Amino acid sequence: MKIEADLLVENASELVTLNPSPPATDPEGKLGVIPNGTLAAKDGRIVWAGPSGETSKQVSLLPQGKELDATGKVVLPGFIDSHTHLIFAGTREKEFELRLQGASYQEISAKGGGIKSTVEKTRRASKEDLVQIGRKNLDSMLSLGTTTVEAKTGYGLSTKDEIKMLEALRDLGREHPVEVVPTFLGAHEIPPEYAGKTEDYVRLVIEEMIPAVAGKKLALFCDVFCEKGVFSLNQSRRILEAGKRFGLTPKLHADELTPLGGAELAAEVGAVSADHLLYISEKGMEAMAEKGVVATLLPGTAFFLFLGRYAPARRMISKGVTVALASDFNPGSCMTESLPLITTIACTQMRMTPAEAILGITLHAAKALGREKEIGSLGTGKQADLVILDIPDYRHLSYHFGVNHAWKVVKKGRVVWEAASSHSTIRVDPR
Ligand code: NIG
Ligand code: FE
């Protein structure tokens, strides 16, 4: 009996499954590349992946099924952006200029710019406005190969406005092909009406916001910006523990601008990930490796804020920490939707290999969302989320940067985006 399929992606020069058998320990092997590979899916799930030469013996395409010829192309799992601030009103290009003139991210924030200025605009926006903004951002991400996006609140900072953001995220997830994974980040900043009263705001988050968010089942994760001048280690702990009591899994913005021990806290509270980590301590790395906390590195932010340092990715990998990569897409510290660009920065600035970078935006990113059984790799039974890239070799994703290589993007077995026209090559014959 052959396996029935309603989608065949055939003859890829590399089918990068991230599902090696037998399991590999080195990053190259961990990619589970099948040269000249074909993938079959049915009803949105992968039913077979193997060498193209075996397809006709193993798989039969249903009459109404779709065939995609991926000759000369690379097939990867759809990219997973596991840390974004997807919806925000307004933009902050003026701050970009101020930073170029020498102001720091913290100085701009202290003068009422930064997160607070986005909060002001986001509070004025309706839920429908936010859905429209989010739709445009998701369209852009999808066109670059992203099929799942984690999205944080944190520009509302009142119960009403945080719920408005979460409802916008819920509505977006229902209408858009990209899956949206919502995270409550009420503790992103201290809103102006609580200036000098951080403790009162922490109580509002714990006593009012978390129960309201959890009661409406609008978020899966609870995140905190644990940073000097924002939320202390102790306040972060209390917020994350409160989230846990209401079924929200902890995540943490940790050790981004100063060394505070955020990585250790993430391990202590059983966070699924700790993110940023430019100033992570040796102890923090060990604690994260031991507890299986994913390190979500956001090198686009270090690049865009020109912080002069990056998270110690090589050290973390050598200590056995699982490293994911994400965009941190937001209007202040990293205004890009492009995960391929993030992989290039990760390779050039943190010395990750192209293979490690691919793991970072697929399987490891799925782990940072607790979704690795469903997405992030191309094994049988997994969701058929794919990006087909018009490149000859997976390394080109990071190596050939600043252009979009996506040819088609498939979500749950359906083509949901395709390039306007495939590249035409004008050949000039040498005389
Ligand atoms: O992850 N660090 C805090 N939050 C964001 C920045 C958000 C903003 O500037 O609007 C970050 O970098
Ligand atoms: Fe962030």
Side-chain angles (χ1 to χ4, degrees):
M1 263 286 276
K2 287 194 197 174
I3 300 164
E4 286 186 344
D6 56 22
L7 173 72
L8 271 184
V9 181
E10 298 166 302
N11 306 317
S13 54
E14 294 177 340
L15 177 63
V16 184
T17 66
L18 282 296
N19 183 37
S21 64
T25 47
D26 64 301
E28 299 289 327
K30 275 190 186 169
L31 290 187
V33 177
I34 303 174
N36 191 7
T38 289
L39 178 141
K42 181 157 184 285
D43 299 327
R45 299 251 159 209
I46 296 165
V47 291
W48 186 81
S52 299
E54 285 178 27
T55 313
S56 58
K57 275 181 274 163
Q58 303 275 355
V59 182
S60 81
L61 183 67
L62 291 167
Q64 72 279 22
K66 190 174 178 72
E67 271 176 290
L68 297 176
D69 179 11
T71 301
K73 300 184 173 67
V74 171
V75 177
L76 285 173
F79 303 146
I80 300 166
D81 201 340
S82 61
H83 180 141
T84 84
H85 304 255
L86 176 72
I87 48 174
F88 47 83
T91 50
R92 308 209 315 250
E93 58 282 359
K94 280 197 195 80
E95 293 179 13
F96 177 49
E97 280 188 333
L98 286 173
R99 279 201 307 279
L100 295 173
Q101 289 157 14
S104 73
Y105 183 77
Q106 292 100 317
E107 281 161 6
I108 291 168
S109 168
K111 286 189 185 135
I115 295 172
K116 288 190 220 50
S117 69
T118 301
V119 169
E120 204 187 301
K121 294 197 181 89
T122 305
R123 283 179 171 180
R124 284 205 299 265
S126 67
K127 184 191 79 172
E128 290 68 28
D129 294 336
L130 296 179
V131 168
Q132 204 176 337
I133 291 163
R135 187 183 295 136
K136 190 157 177 273
N137 298 342
L138 282 179
D139 284 349
S140 169
M141 290 172 169
L142 176 64
S143 74
L144 292 155
T146 299
T147 52
T148 302
V149 168
E150 185 262 13
K152 301 177 196 297
T153 64
Y155 295 122
L157 308 188
S158 68
T159 307
K160 170 171 92 45
D161 291 301
E162 286 292 302
I163 300 259
K164 176 181 73 184
M165 286 192 80
L166 284 166
E167 286 176 345
L169 291 173
R170 175 200 61 201
D171 293 357
L172 272 171
R174 285 179 181 159
E175 72 162 52
H176 204 279
V178 173
E179 257 175 286
V180 178
V181 179
T183 294
F184 168 65
L185 177 58
H188 192 198
E189 179 57 283
I190 296 103
E193 63 278 16
Y194 281 86
K197 294 185 290 183
T198 306
E199 262 306 311
D200 292 350
Y201 185 65
V202 169
R203 270 199 296 279
L204 180 77
V205 171
I206 293 176
E207 289 166 16
E208 190 177 298
M209 289 190 192
I210 290 176
V213 165
K216 288 179 182 281
K217 294 198 185 334
L218 286 169
L220 295 176
F221 300 102
C222 178
D223 195 345
V224 177
F225 188 15
C226 177
E227 185 58 62
K228 199 168 147 215
V230 196
F231 297 97
S232 70
L233 215 49
N234 184 38
Q235 290 164 337
S236 304
R237 179 185 292 111
R238 283 159 50 211
I239 293 167
L240 295 177
E241 289 293 351
K244 268 163 66 179
R245 287 197 291 278
F246 282 88
L248 302 176
T249 303
K251 279 184 166 281
L252 193 61
H253 281 67
D255 302 325
E256 176 184 359
L257 304 168
T258 50
L260 271 193
E264 290 88 329
L265 175 64
E268 178 198 317
V269 300
V272 68
S273 75
D275 303 23
H276 285 289
L277 304 171
L278 274 70
Y279 289 88
I280 189 172
S281 70
E282 290 287 313
K283 276 215 176 72
M285 292 183 217
E286 282 149 25
M288 284 178 64
E290 193 194 317
K291 292 281 164 60
V293 183
V294 176
T296 300
L297 306 186
L298 310 163
T301 307
F303 173 77
F304 193 67
L305 295 180
F306 34 105
L307 295 174
R309 71 191 281 157
Y310 286 83
R314 287 256 60 86
R315 186 98 189 123
M316 290 185 214
I317 292 169
S318 75
K319 284 186 174 276
V321 179
T322 299
V323 171
L325 293 169
S327 70
D328 197 19
F329 175 62
N330 75 75
S333 70
C334 196
M335 188 68 166
T336 184
E337 297 90 333
S338 174
L339 281 175
L341 174 62
I342 297 300
T343 71
T344 300
I345 303 174
C347 293
T348 59
Q349 307 304 308
M350 303 196 297
R351 302 290 194 271
M352 286 175 70
T353 66
E356 288 166 342
I358 285 176
L359 273 162
I361 58 169
T362 56
L363 189 58
H364 292 177
K367 285 187 181 158
L369 300 180
R371 300 276 325 268
E372 69 274 17
K373 292 204 174 74
E374 287 286 308
I375 54 175
S377 62
L378 302 180
T380 303
K382 298 273 155 67
Q383 218 165 271
D385 293 1
L386 323 168
V387 51
I388 308 172
L389 300 164
D390 194 4
I391 51 177
D393 173 303
Y394 71 80
R395 293 171 189 85
H396 280 243
L397 180 69
S398 310
Y399 156 68
H400 185 170
F401 70 100
V403 286
N404 189 8
H405 297 294
W407 178 64
K408 286 187 199 302
V409 185
V410 174
K411 181 70 184 178
K412 294 183 184 165
R414 274 194 320 124
V415 176
V416 288
W417 184 87
E418 51 195 2
S421 68
S422 41
H423 305 270
S424 59
T425 313
I426 301 163
R427 288 182 204 285
V428 179
D429 291 330
R431 288 181 193 276

